[in-house]
Amino acid sequence: MEFTNKLGTIDSTIFIVYVIGLLCLALWVSRNEKKEGANTEDYFLASKSLPWWAIGASLIAANISAEQIIGMSGSGYAIGLAIASYEWMAAITLVIVGKYMLPIFLKNEIFTMPQYLEQRFDNKVKTTMAIFWLAVYTFVNLTAVLWLGGMAIETVAGVDWMFGMIFLAVFSVAYSLYGGLKAVAFTDILQVVLLVFGGLLLSYIALDAVADGQGMLVGFGILTDQMPEHFDMILSPENEHYMSLPGISVLLGGMWVMNFSYWGFNQYIIQRALAAKDLKEAQKGIAFAAYLKLLMPIVVVLPGIAAVVLYPTLTSPDQAYPSMMAMLPVGIKGLVFAALVAAIVSSLASMTNSISTIFTMDLYSRFKPNESQRHYVHIGRIAALVSLCIALIVAQPLLGKFDQAFQYIQEFTGFFTPGIVVIFVLGMFWKRATSMGALSAALGSAVFSLILKFAWPELPFMDRVGLVFLLCLALCYFVSMAGKPPTEDNSVSLDDVSFETTKSFNVAAVGVILILIALYATWW
């Protein structure tokens, strides 16, 4: 099947209207009535005024980007529905984060994750993890979003990938740099509506095309009949992709570690919840995001599976989603392309805002502690610009050789996430954990991961993540027990933290669990 790479006049017009509309909305949201200008709470935490619907939408917009849409569609093309476990297991992870972790963060008025580590441990742990997160966000997350976004623009619009990456970087800066998190979060509402609507529309058209015009349900039936192996949720050891998704481990193993690290302790994700009006509002936003995550496989995985039938000879799985867009009718194609770009730029804006927050509040302010609020906001904007420039330069050399960028991101971050989860979980719920124990877990995570990768290469990376988590847990325990107990100053008290949740949150949590049981029971 042939496909065209060019956007027509109508499609281009729709896309331009979207760009202008988003910029106008961002400028309106960013207006500041304060004569002295925005302070750090205004810029980095949206004045702590976000409502639940903005929190939920912004969580998904920050999460669903090029590496999710293009990368997971590519994995859907290569592996099948099993890759949706990343989405569905994230839904229950969000519920747990909202119940047990958000109350601790909000009670202690946390700006950043490194700030919490300083409050719980000491400045060494804070600085080590701040530098680590800045490196990962810049050299892994930003580069992946820019690279896959550039690929998508080249495939769909026929624009060179480098110019596509530059456009994405400039666009994200134009609407987010001035207004900070408030501009990002409120414009994310528009982004998510466009993303979900465009993704569902593409899935419908793809399934209808598989059925040769006989409808979506017929198309879905054809896919399940022709490719039953693409609808196995739990892969057997004989499956060629078992190393990526090792059977029952997606439910009981290392995926929990990956999810808690991402949804619970990841600055550019959790920052939205930290900016809530109060805990109840944050928890409602978390529950809203959990239900959106249940919907995401239809948006990001199903088109990739349909592409196996429609475009069986693609040279790279990551070409699946952009290639599917070529079959869209005039007008709709521009709308779906706008949705794809919306996802990319919202994630770029979220990441750069978090980079600027960590750099300014956790590193720069330590060396320049007595500067004005406006000075710190200015430094944050510079940090965001510099990180984007670095990502633009290194994106192609780092990611150009990978066929499935989503799996690359999971593999790389899997080296460090076990230690991160150990540090936070023991720091929250075990008073005896010490700063040396935390640092040993952080270092041990990388060391154990490297040793296991080369000494036991046949061990699936997700199982390796789970095993390294247990090793880091033991290491942190023994190192902490061997040292002096932390003082009261280095212990975050849980005595005045309430873990009670509202009836509506509890009902929402039970609903998520029941839906997940039904999904896995159906596609086991």
Side-chain angles (χ1 to χ4, degrees):
M1 184 178 290
E2 298 291 330
F3 62 89
T4 177
N5 287 337
K6 301 293 184 181
L7 289 176
T9 303
I10 295 177
D11 295 316
S12 298
T13 302
I14 290 173
F15 178 70
I16 291 169
V17 169
Y18 152 72
V19 170
I20 295 173
L22 187 70
L23 290 174
C24 291
L25 177 61
L27 288 173
W28 181 76
V29 169
S30 303
R31 70 196 191 284
N32 198 315
E33 290 82 9
K34 293 182 179 180
K35 293 181 179 179
E36 66 275 16
N39 59 33
T40 51
E41 186 176 280
D42 295 332
Y43 189 78
F44 297 122
L45 287 184
S47 306
K48 299 201 97 173
S49 62
L50 292 185
W52 67 268
W53 39 272
I55 294 168
S58 192
L59 279 168
I60 298 304
N63 165 238
I64 302 296
S65 183
E67 82 273 20
Q68 290 288 105
I69 296 179
I70 299 171
M72 287 199 75
S73 289
S75 293
Y77 185 93
I79 299 173
L81 190 63
I83 198 68
S85 287
Y86 278 103
E87 302 297 296
W88 287 338
M89 296 304 291
I92 193 169
T93 305
L94 278 165
V95 170
I96 296 172
V97 168
K99 168 77 173 175
Y100 294 107
M101 295 163 191
L102 265 186
I104 299 174
F105 291 143
L106 291 177
K107 186 68 177 180
N108 289 279
E109 299 182 343
I110 298 299
F111 258 71
T112 69
M113 293 298 97
Q115 178 194 346
Y116 173 80
L117 294 178
E118 180 182 40
Q119 195 169 320
R120 172 58 181 86
F121 296 109
D122 59 22
N123 188 64
K124 288 184 294 185
V125 178
K126 165 193 162 183
T127 303
T128 300
M129 296 311 297
I131 293 172
F132 163 76
W133 272 311
L134 288 176
V136 169
Y137 291 163
T138 302
F139 292 99
V140 178
N141 297 103
L142 273 182
T143 53
V145 173
L146 282 171
W147 169 249
L148 289 173
M151 276 180 52
I153 289 177
E154 182 175 65
T155 302
V156 176
V159 178
D160 182 77
W161 59 269
M162 176 54 78
F163 289 110
M165 289 201 305
I166 293 172
F167 164 76
L168 292 171
V170 172
F171 185 19
S172 69
V173 165
Y175 90 86
S176 68
L177 199 65
Y178 176 70
L181 183 62
K182 186 177 181 181
V184 174
F186 280 98
T187 52
D188 277 348
I189 299 163
L190 171 63
Q191 310 275 53
V192 165
V193 169
L194 195 57
L195 166 64
V196 172
F197 176 75
L200 291 176
L201 187 60
L202 178 60
S203 293
Y204 171 81
I205 292 173
L207 291 174
D208 188 58
V210 168
D212 199 20
Q214 297 180 61
M216 176 182 67
L217 295 179
V218 174
F220 187 77
I222 291 173
L223 289 182
T224 55
D225 289 340
Q226 291 187 5
M227 301 180 299
E229 71 284 354
H230 268 64
F231 289 88
D232 291 336
M233 285 301 303
I234 306 299
L235 303 184
S236 66
E238 294 76 29
N239 192 293
E240 62 177 312
H241 299 290
Y242 182 80
M243 289 291 287
S244 297
L245 292 165
I248 200 68
S249 291
V250 301
L251 299 181
L252 302 177
M255 186 172 285
W256 283 103
V257 180
M258 304 287 285
N259 277 341
F260 276 117
S261 175
Y262 184 86
W263 292 102
F265 316 125
N266 183 350
Q267 180 67 28
Y268 81 82
I269 294 296
I270 202 69
Q271 190 166 338
R272 281 112 185 90
L274 300 181
K277 293 177 180 179
D278 53 41
L279 177 59
K280 289 183 179 179
E281 204 75 5
Q283 288 174 330
K284 283 194 289 185
I286 286 277
F288 177 39
Y291 278 91
L292 288 176
K293 288 302 287 180
L294 294 176
L295 182 66
M296 281 301 112
I298 301 175
V299 174
V300 298
V301 179
L302 198 54
I305 299 175
V308 179
V309 172
L310 299 171
Y311 299 99
T313 59
L314 294 179
T315 57
S316 168
D318 281 342
Q319 293 177 353
Y321 195 90
S323 300
M324 292 293 293
M325 291 180 62
M327 66 192 303
L328 297 175
V330 173
I332 300 298
K333 185 177 181 180
L335 187 65
V336 175
F337 181 59
L340 178 61
V341 173
I344 296 168
V345 296
S346 64
S347 287
L348 287 175
S350 299
M351 291 171 193
T352 53
N353 184 263
S354 293
I355 287 170
S356 67
T357 306
I358 291 176
F359 177 81
T360 305
M361 304 306 295
D362 294 316
L363 297 178
Y364 182 83
S365 64
R366 173 174 166 78
F367 298 100
K368 296 277 190 177
N370 299 314
E371 300 293 338
S372 68
Q373 294 283 299
R374 294 185 69 179
H375 176 80
Y376 290 133
V377 170
H378 179 66
I379 292 298
R381 289 170 176 152
I382 293 174
L385 279 174
V386 171
S387 65
L388 268 176
C389 292
I390 292 173
L392 278 171
I393 294 169
V394 303
Q396 199 279 334
L398 283 180
L399 289 174
K401 60 184 181 217
F402 290 97
D403 285 337
Q404 293 185 58
F406 181 76
Q407 289 299 112
Y408 153 76
I409 294 168
Q410 303 308 315
E411 175 85 21
F412 182 86
T413 54
F415 278 79
F416 306 99
T417 49
I420 292 171
V421 176
V422 166
I423 291 171
F424 275 95
V425 171
L426 290 188
M428 287 176 166
F429 302 109
W430 188 44
K431 291 183 178 181
R432 188 63 176 76
T434 65
S435 61
M436 284 305 298
L439 288 173
S440 67
L443 179 62
S445 184
V447 173
F448 292 143
S449 296
L450 281 170
I451 291 173
L452 287 172
K453 181 173 177 62
F454 292 105
W456 195 355
E458 64 274 15
L459 180 69
F461 91 93
M462 195 175 292
D463 289 342
R464 186 180 75 225
V465 167
L467 180 55
V468 171
F469 170 75
L470 295 177
L471 291 171
C472 290
L473 200 66
L475 181 62
C476 184
Y477 173 81
F478 287 115
V479 172
S480 295
M481 291 302 293
K484 293 182 179 180
T487 64
E488 286 299 317
D489 291 339
N490 291 110
S491 179
V492 177
S493 175
L494 301 183
D495 296 339
D496 56 350
V497 176
S498 173
F499 295 104
E500 292 185 8
T501 47
T502 62
K503 183 179 179 180
S504 60
F505 181 86
N506 294 334
V507 170
V510 171
V512 168
I513 294 170
L514 291 177
I515 291 171
L516 284 172
I517 291 173
L519 287 170
Y520 278 93
T522 302
W523 301 109
W524 187 275

